[in-house]
Amino acid sequence: MALATITTKGQVTIPKKIRDALKLRTGDKIEIIVTDKMEAIIRPISKTVDELFCKLQKPEQKALSIEEINNAIASRMKSKCK
């Protein structure tokens, strides 16, 4: 059993043992469900493809064309072969 304390702002720190067991990381979302027995169930929320894509995309970076990507790869391969 792991205990946690509620702060004056209503915040709770999930103990490391629980975070590790649920594979929770900073920024992850959780769902809290209250049962008829007045118990709380904490579940991690699965990430959507859109959320994962947004972590890979840099809004300030312009999109490259296929030709630009192919040229960059070719250039990189040439420099490694020398």
Side-chain angles (χ1 to χ4, degrees):
M1 176 172 56
L3 296 176
T5 303
I6 299 174
T7 69
T8 56
K9 293 184 178 183
Q11 298 171 332
V12 175
T13 299
I14 300 171
K16 182 170 178 9
K17 181 178 175 181
I18 304 300
R19 292 191 317 264
D20 290 346
L22 296 176
K23 296 180 176 39
L24 293 172
R25 302 287 172 251
T26 301
D28 285 353
K29 304 262 187 237
I30 59 171
E31 177 180 30
I32 302 172
I33 302 161
V34 179
T35 69
D36 293 338
K37 297 179 184 179
M38 296 303 294
E39 296 172 329
I41 299 171
I42 298 174
R43 284 197 299 219
I45 300 295
S46 298
K47 292 186 179 1
T48 66
V49 172
D50 290 339
E51 289 173 315
L52 294 174
F53 177 75
C54 290
K55 290 186 179 193
L56 298 174
Q57 181 191 24
K58 295 178 183 174
E60 68 279 359
Q61 185 177 5
K62 76 172 189 84
L64 298 175
S65 69
I66 296 296
E67 184 178 329
E68 290 172 311
I69 293 170
N70 288 338
N71 289 340
I73 293 170
S75 171
R76 183 83 168 172
M77 295 302 288
K78 285 179 187 176
S79 67
K80 284 191 173 191
C81 293
K82 290 182 180 181

